[in-house]
Amino acid sequence: LAAVPGAPVREATLSVGRAFMVDLAKLRAFHALASQRGLALPLHAITARAMLGLADPHTNLLRNTTAALAASIGGCHVLSVR
């Protein structure tokens, strides 16, 4: 984590996708790293567009639900589901 001197940092944005445990670990690792550096950034998680398919909207619903659950358990402050 490196900040530009003088530039305000409002939030950190991370993408979550199909890999439930990996995304959960990614968010937890970010929290650990930010707390070590003394940063109090709100974490914005966005579901990945790359995991969505055009053919079956029901599958997309399940994929987004899984990604949103990983983000919420991982400790995100803001969640955007596409």
Side-chain angles (χ1 to χ4, degrees), residues 1 9-16 23-34 39-46 70-80:
L1 296 173
V9 178
R10 295 199 169 101
E11 69 180 6
T13 304
L14 294 174
S15 176
V16 291
D23 291 332
L24 186 109
K26 176 173 53 173
L27 295 169
R28 294 245 185 220
F30 178 82
H31 276 294
L33 183 62
L39 299 174
L41 295 174
L43 182 57
H44 184 184
I46 300 175
S72 63
I73 293 174
C76 75
H77 298 100
V78 179
L79 175 63
S80 297

Side-chain angles (χ1 to χ4, degrees), residues 44-56:
H44 184 184
I46 300 175
T47 57
R49 227 179 247 173
M51 72 175 177
L52 301 178
L54 296 173
D56 191 9

Side-chain angles (χ1 to χ4, degrees), residues 50-68:
M51 72 175 177
L52 301 178
L54 296 173
D56 191 9
H58 294 93
T59 302
N60 291 338
L61 180 67
L62 293 173
R63 287 177 181 165
N64 276 330
T65 302
T66 303

